[in-house]
Amino acid sequence: MVGNHPSLTVSPPRARLMPRTVAARELAIVVSRRRALAIKAGLPLLLAIALVAGHAPTFWAGMLLTVLVAMVGAVGTAVTVSRAREAGFLTRLAATPGSRPRLLGGWVLAAAAVDVVQLLPVAVAATVTGAGSAQSLAVLAVALAGALIVTNVLGCVITLAAANAAEVLLDVVVVLAPLLYLGGLFTGVPASGWRAAAAAADPFSHLHSAFIGALGGTPTYSPAVDVVAIAAAAAVAVAALVILSRRILERD
Amino acid sequence: MSAVASPQAVGLLTTPPAATAAVRADGVVRRYRNGRGVGPVDLAVGPGETMALMGRNGCGKTTLLRLLATVSRPQRGEVSWFDGPAAPARAHIGLALDGALEDGGLTGRQATYFWCAQWISARDEVRTRTDGLLDRLGLAAAADAAVGSYSFGMRRRLALVAALVHDPLLALLDEPTAGLDPAGCAELAVILAERRERARSTIVASNDPGFVEAVAGQVTFLDEGLVVRCATPQELLDSLPRGRVAELVTHGRCDAAGLRRVAGVVDVAVAGSSAMVRFDGDSTIAALVAAADAPGGRLRELRLRRPDLGDCFRELTGQMLEDGHWSATTPA
């Protein structure tokens, strides 16, 4: 108890991380909410266990896991950034001397790191029982890292259009649904035509392919194509973040 | 990764250049689609000057603060800081926005440390400044408690600590006394006075007349995004007609017509059961009480005070600073 505030519980100061960067601050907040973190990591794991125990076909299991990655990455960041904007944190951050891309990049990195904590057990549980080769697991690791950068940047950018944290959930679905569809997650990728071209440029199509390979199925694309395409998408996402960082931070 | 710059790296000044305005706005306009916003506005805040922005809710105070804090860009006009552009000026700015509250997951010490580290790289100095200002604003005992367990007033104090912890050359504080108890307001006034002595400039957006009179060297009245008047508090108060103000609360609706008929009454503003009466002459008080109490037992509260900056604002704009459906009338 502190003063006349009985609800205040003080823990020793030395036990706490003193954050100097946006990334460290975000991680400190996540760590302080252990119950929320356990739920965030536990629910996707339950889904993965259900997929493994049910011997789901690799195409559908890969689809579900790709959708999970897309939602976890984009929703988490979009909601966090929207709430930070509502709380005035972004405005205060915009008044500091750090460069906008670095400030926002720190945020995306921290969010992606939290996503890894959430999704790593899922990926391990889903692939450990599959017949994927070591190479396909490595491709999946690269694809996951790239996809998390893409989805987290997407989450940041989507907040430019949303009026508040509640609306941003809808906006994320509105943006992700066509991307997932064009990636051939629900229908498969056609052999030719504009949808084949769209899928080839869609990072979620390549993440799906990587998941299928790691689960022991026949991937849609070759491992090299998956890695190059995801890396290119991540680079585009980082460039978009650099270009839009000022607008994201300074938006009213 | 956030940029953690050393004072030298960000060009942190320990003393502002003499005769250089900390911030200068020339014809700045920032209007939203609904017509709200601010501008065109001209203003300049010199070194060691404390300027207060006063005006009704929605008059553009926060929009103007955002412009002056480099976090928003004008549609027209120019803003300069220390005779330069925005980017290098951010090394010298501290901002506390109304409603900007710290995330509940951090402790007060962690939150303050984070903000201080955005300007100062030496860990020992960050720690010393963090502990010092938390202590001054009465948060030392709660510094290691989660911000989520803080009261509203404590969170507001924390926001002020975060804005002032690096001792910025230019601090912009939006409604700094909102949620603060009298002791907190008094301590803040002392801190702002010390800033003045060290040639630090401060802009406060506040509708607290007592606080503004205590801290501000210049007061800028804003109405519908435009500057109505800019002057020292004393000049503004001297511009008011002689007299005092009676604030009345009655059971049921105030009888504005009855109050207006009292000899010596200069003007009357009524909002429901509350009335604000400006009058001249001690003999008016008894007649006012009688008029407000009629037909008997209706008067609940009476407070006499000298005119303040809120009355100046009303004199200039015909509107009250406070929210509410006030209707002002003057005796025929």
Side-chain angles (χ1 to χ4, degrees):
Chain A
M1 179 175 148
V2 176
N4 57 351
H5 298 283
S7 62
L8 293 180
T9 311
V10 178
S11 61
R14 282 164 200 269
R16 294 189 185 270
L17 166 77
M18 300 306 274
R20 300 179 62 81
T21 65
V22 175
R25 179 185 181 277
E26 289 307 301
L27 291 174
I29 290 171
V30 169
V31 168
S32 74
R33 294 171 177 152
R34 293 188 186 89
R35 183 171 168 272
L37 186 61
I39 292 171
K40 278 182 183 174
L43 285 179
L45 187 58
L46 283 178
L47 180 68
I49 290 169
L51 286 175
V52 171
H55 302 291
T58 54
F59 181 89
W60 298 113
M63 182 270 283
L64 203 58
L65 291 169
T66 303
V67 171
L68 190 67
V69 170
M71 293 300 286
V72 162
V75 169
T77 302
V79 171
T80 310
V81 170
S82 286
R83 282 187 183 154
R85 181 174 290 127
E86 286 174 1
F89 177 75
L90 293 193
T91 305
R92 293 164 71 194
L93 208 56
T96 63
S99 83
R100 270 88 170 110
R102 287 185 71 186
L103 291 168
L104 215 53
W107 203 318
V108 168
L109 277 184
V114 174
D115 294 342
V116 168
V117 172
Q118 282 184 260
L119 295 170
L120 200 59
V122 176
V124 170
T127 55
V128 78
T129 53
S133 62
Q135 186 197 38
S136 64
L137 291 178
V139 170
L140 177 63
V142 173
L144 256 180
L148 285 177
I149 290 173
V150 170
T151 53
N152 278 285
V153 170
L154 203 59
C156 272
V157 173
I158 287 171
T159 63
L160 280 172
N164 53 53
E167 194 182 296
V168 85
L169 286 172
L170 183 65
D171 290 350
V172 167
V173 174
V174 166
V175 171
L176 280 184
L179 283 176
L180 296 171
Y181 172 76
L182 290 174
L185 269 76
F186 311 127
T187 59
V189 178
S192 61
W194 70 271
R195 279 201 55 208
D202 188 331
F204 297 117
S205 185
H206 293 281
L207 179 62
H208 185 208
S209 170
F211 263 123
I212 293 172
L215 291 166
T218 306
T220 317
Y221 306 99
S222 72
V225 169
D226 282 337
V227 167
V228 169
I230 291 261
V236 169
V238 170
L241 189 72
V242 169
I243 292 167
L244 295 171
S245 57
R246 184 184 69 77
R247 289 185 60 191
I248 293 170
L249 276 182
E250 295 181 5
R251 183 179 177 270
D252 288 354
Chain B
M1 292 166 293
S2 158
V4 180
S6 69
Q8 292 74 24
V10 297
L12 197 62
L13 303 175
T14 50
T15 52
T20 299
V23 62
R24 177 188 302 280
D26 293 313
V28 291
V29 177
R30 175 88 185 178
R31 292 279 178 181
Y32 301 103
R33 285 179 189 163
N34 61 8
R36 282 193 170 178
V38 73
V41 163
D42 299 295
L43 64 81
V45 180
E49 192 177 318
T50 302
M51 174 180 277
L53 304 176
M54 299 184 85
R56 291 169 60 81
N57 291 342
C59 74
K61 296 192 298 289
T62 301
T63 304
L64 184 54
L65 272 190
R66 287 177 60 95
L67 286 166
L68 301 178
T70 76
V71 296
S72 188
R73 298 181 186 212
Q75 292 152 337
R76 289 204 304 276
E78 279 189 9
V79 187
S80 63
W81 295 264
F82 311 103
D83 283 345
R90 292 192 187 107
H92 317 298
I93 286 177
L95 173 67
L97 285 178
D98 182 32
L101 301 174
E102 206 54 61
D103 192 282
L106 297 176
T107 67
R109 195 186 308 278
Q110 282 177 309
T112 309
Y113 188 94
F114 167 76
W115 287 112
C116 193
Q118 302 312 301
W119 283 272
I120 295 167
S121 57
R123 289 170 192 271
D124 285 348
E125 190 179 351
V126 173
R127 203 168 289 121
T128 305
R129 285 173 180 262
T130 297
D131 294 347
L133 201 52
L134 283 169
D135 187 31
R136 278 204 72 176
L137 276 170
L139 291 172
D144 294 307
V147 175
S149 63
Y150 281 21
S151 68
F152 176 73
M154 293 167 78
R155 285 194 184 208
R156 291 290 303 156
R157 285 176 190 235
L158 189 63
L160 292 171
V161 169
L164 299 171
V165 68
H166 56 292
D167 194 21
L169 292 184
L170 173 63
L172 302 110
L173 313 177
D174 195 3
E175 303 290 358
T177 58
L180 260 59
D181 55 23
C185 291
E187 186 58 38
L188 180 61
V190 172
I191 289 172
L192 296 189
E194 290 172 2
R195 283 179 55 78
R196 269 198 308 279
E197 287 168 13
R198 292 198 310 279
R200 267 55 178 155
S201 310
T202 308
I203 301 177
V204 293
S206 174
N207 281 347
D208 182 341
F211 179 75
V212 169
E213 281 176 41
V215 303
Q218 290 281 319
V219 178
T220 298
F221 285 140
L222 286 173
D223 189 31
E224 296 184 355
L226 299 171
V227 174
V228 179
R229 176 124 193 243
C230 182
T232 67
Q234 199 53 54
E235 284 170 343
L236 290 167
L237 292 170
D238 289 347
S239 69
L240 280 173
R242 275 175 5 98
R244 281 187 287 170
V245 176
E247 293 178 352
L248 305 158
V249 182
T250 58
H251 290 289
R253 190 166 175 76
C254 260
D255 177 13
L259 294 171
R260 210 162 42 227
R261 281 194 295 271
V262 174
V265 167
V266 180
D267 72 339
V268 178
V270 172
S273 61
S274 299
M276 206 172 293
V277 181
R278 199 142 54 79
F279 67 95
D280 195 14
D282 288 344
S283 59
T284 309
I285 298 172
L288 259 181
V289 169
D293 203 40
R298 293 187 69 230
L299 184 61
R300 284 166 52 203
E301 289 175 31
L302 168 68
R303 190 166 77 92
L304 297 176
R305 62 169 173 81
R306 66 179 178 83
D308 60 23
L309 291 171
D311 300 304
C312 296
F313 183 83
R314 191 173 137 214
E315 187 77 17
L316 285 165
T317 66
Q319 298 179 80
M320 308 291 283
L321 273 175
E322 301 87 356
D323 281 336
H325 300 287
W326 291 88
S327 56
T329 54
T330 48

